[in-house]
Amino acid sequence: MPQIAQLGEYYASQIFWMLIFFAITFFVVGRGMVPKVMDTVAQRDKQIAEDLATAEKLRESADAEEEAWRTRENANRAEAQGLIASARAKAGAATADRLNAAQVGIEADLATAEKRIDEARRSAASEIETVAADAAREIVSRVAGLSLDETAVRAAVKGSLVHG
Amino acid sequence: MAAEAKLDPMHQFQLETLAGANWNIAGYNIAFTNSALWMAIATVVLVVFVSGGMKRQLVPGRWQMAVETFTGFIDGMLAANVGPAGKKYVPYIFSLFMFILFANFLGLLPLGVLGLHAFTFTSHFSATGVLAIMSFAIVLGVGFAKHKLHFFSLFVPHGTPVVMIPLIFCVELISFLVRPFSLGLRLFVAMMAGHVLLEVLSSFVISSGNAGIGLFAIAGLPSFILMVGICALELLVAGIQAYVFALLTCVYLNDAENLH
């Protein structure tokens, strides 16, 4: 077993070179390079974390923006609905007013027309009286030879016309 | 000569001086061996691998992604086992894990077909022991620096009856002191066992093939099929042992950082 057989001869060499080469490894690789490599990793992790945080922040602001837009949109819509409702109410009121005015006009026309009809009927009736009275006086004078007073004839005709 | 050519499964662990046979520091010989060469190769490959992940792009390429996966893996392991205080150990645990992982994988490379000899220095306890003692020393240093003598309360679990304290203290102390040995030996044994197994099986394939077609069909072919499976298993073990070493170091560091 050379490990034991050659121990006396080579142990100093083994220990010496092991220390030398491990020291080189430790100082060049372990102390020199490893911290830089780990620094790179840490920087990358940091950047990723920052990017994620930024993305999260942006997402939140986008959400807030959307919320604000939604609120504004809802307000606009409500306002528009209000405008439509008031316009409808105004139009309805105007229509009702015009209808009322037309109704009043129609009623006035009706009233005058009825008055006119009434007057016409009345004048027609008085004319009939006069004609009837004349006719009655003529008949009486012709048949009975009586010359009757016109006023009396007219009263009699009127009474007979009233009583049918 | 035919007797000498017998395959020795332990030969692959033989250390050979490549250069500096007479290099000495304070009387200790520090010859540059094949083991040291593969430590150097592991270091260079690791530096190349990690520097490929240094492009620092926001959107990583495959290579950068691979390196970041490893750093993230170590970071996660420390976070899970030690907590927030574990962050400062990432360079050490990363170096430890990757160094062992690359050593194990490089040792498994089939460079033999190119005439080269891959050497797994993690199959030597004189190498793994250095790493284990280093981890243990860091645990001790952190523990005593952070908790002073209060660190000894680690050896007395909460709710221990007073009469039991001396006994429990001794048991816990022994289990604590065994840690560097278990840490270093586990890696060394796992690596060595795997390589010996592959070597023994491959010697079956070759010697049965030399002996005749009949024996090859009976012993060589099944051994070869088994070898394919064990190679895959060894790749898994290479990763698992590196992971276990790093994970146990994390667990021990947790003891030092947070006591119980």
Side-chain angles (χ1 to χ4, degrees):
Chain A
M1 192 170 179
Q3 285 93 335
I4 293 171
Q6 293 184 308
L7 188 61
E9 191 182 350
Y10 284 112
Y11 76 96
S13 153
Q14 286 280 76
I15 293 168
F16 176 77
W17 291 112
M18 192 71 191
L19 287 175
I20 291 289
F21 287 118
F22 188 75
I24 292 172
T25 302
F26 177 67
F27 286 108
V28 174
V29 175
R31 295 297 277 283
M33 298 174 172
V34 168
K36 288 187 187 126
V37 172
M38 291 188 60
D39 196 42
T40 309
V41 175
Q43 255 172 13
R44 180 184 309 129
D45 288 351
K46 194 167 140 250
Q47 174 146 13
I48 289 170
E50 275 173 7
D51 286 357
L52 281 177
T54 312
E56 180 66 26
K57 212 178 288 166
L58 285 177
R59 201 174 63 81
E60 271 167 16
S61 80
D63 279 355
E65 197 91 346
E66 197 199 343
E67 192 57 43
W69 173 81
R70 203 184 296 282
T71 318
R72 215 161 52 231
E73 193 64 18
N74 283 346
N76 284 348
R77 190 170 294 135
E79 200 179 326
Q81 296 284 8
L83 276 179
I84 290 170
S86 77
R88 190 175 288 151
K90 221 178 277 174
T95 309
D97 280 356
R98 267 213 305 283
L99 274 177
N100 280 342
Q103 193 70 34
V104 167
I106 288 167
E107 271 166 11
D109 282 358
L110 266 178
T112 48
E114 269 169 7
K115 206 187 279 171
R116 243 190 359 260
I117 290 168
D118 219 31
E119 267 166 18
R121 190 190 290 143
R122 205 169 296 144
S123 74
S126 69
E127 228 156 278
I128 286 169
E129 251 177 54
T130 318
V131 172
D134 281 354
R137 196 157 53 95
E138 200 70 17
I139 292 166
V140 166
S141 71
R142 283 244 191 110
V143 172
L146 291 173
S147 174
L148 290 174
D149 180 38
E150 200 179 326
T151 339
V153 173
R154 185 159 296 192
V157 166
K158 201 172 187 174
S160 125
L161 274 178
V162 168
H163 297 297
Chain B
M1 192 207 159
E4 292 300 311
K6 190 171 73 97
L7 285 163
D8 175 13
M10 301 309 282
H11 178 72
Q12 56 177 327
F13 303 120
Q14 201 81 36
L15 289 169
E16 282 155 27
T17 303
L18 300 178
N22 51 0
W23 291 352
N24 288 300
I25 287 179
Y28 294 102
N29 181 262
I30 51 151
F32 194 80
T33 59
N34 50 352
S35 171
L37 175 67
W38 283 90
M39 290 175 195
I41 291 171
T43 305
V44 170
V45 173
L46 182 53
V47 168
V48 169
F49 173 70
V50 179
S51 61
M54 298 266 291
K55 293 193 209 78
R56 317 202 66 175
Q57 285 166 335
L58 185 63
V59 179
R62 290 179 191 195
W63 198 321
Q64 191 184 343
M65 198 70 223
V67 175
E68 284 173 3
T69 305
F70 277 115
T71 58
F73 169 66
I74 299 297
D75 191 34
M77 187 159 75
L78 276 163
N81 286 297
V82 187
K87 196 90 181 165
K88 57 182 172 291
Y89 302 112
V90 169
Y92 177 68
I93 301 292
F94 182 84
S95 307
L96 197 62
F97 174 74
M98 295 304 273
F99 193 62
I100 296 171
L101 185 71
F102 275 54
N104 294 351
F105 275 137
L106 288 172
L108 278 173
L109 287 182
L111 295 175
V113 295
L114 301 173
L116 301 169
H117 288 283
F119 184 87
T120 318
F121 62 84
T122 44
S123 65
H124 275 256
F125 61 82
S126 46
T128 60
V130 173
L131 296 177
I133 289 167
M134 195 152 44
S135 289
F136 190 67
I138 288 171
V139 168
L140 280 183
V142 169
F144 280 114
K146 202 171 156 113
H147 303 290
K148 307 282 182 283
L149 290 179
H150 195 62
F151 184 56
F152 283 107
S153 72
L154 184 65
F155 307 130
V156 184
H158 283 300
T160 311
V162 178
V163 287
M164 293 293 282
I165 282 177
L167 183 64
I168 294 286
F169 185 86
C170 291
V171 170
E172 289 281 330
L173 183 64
I174 290 166
S175 85
F176 182 78
L177 292 177
V178 158
R179 283 174 177 183
F181 298 98
S182 67
L183 205 54
L185 288 177
R186 181 184 298 110
L187 177 56
F188 143 68
V189 165
M191 285 302 114
M192 191 189 73
H195 284 264
V196 168
L197 189 57
L198 286 176
E199 192 83 10
V200 168
L201 286 172
S202 62
S203 78
F204 285 172
V205 176
I206 290 165
S207 32
S208 69
N210 286 340
I213 190 78
L215 201 57
F216 180 73
I218 295 168
L221 209 56
S223 297
F224 184 72
I225 292 164
L226 189 58
M227 261 186 84
V228 173
I230 288 179
C231 276
L233 182 69
E234 282 308 305
L235 288 172
L236 182 68
V237 169
I240 285 176
Q241 288 302 326
Y243 174 65
V244 166
F245 202 106
L247 180 69
L248 284 175
T249 305
C250 289
V251 171
Y252 300 159
L253 279 171
N254 179 45
D255 283 347
E257 276 285 339
N258 308 318
L259 291 181
H260 277 299

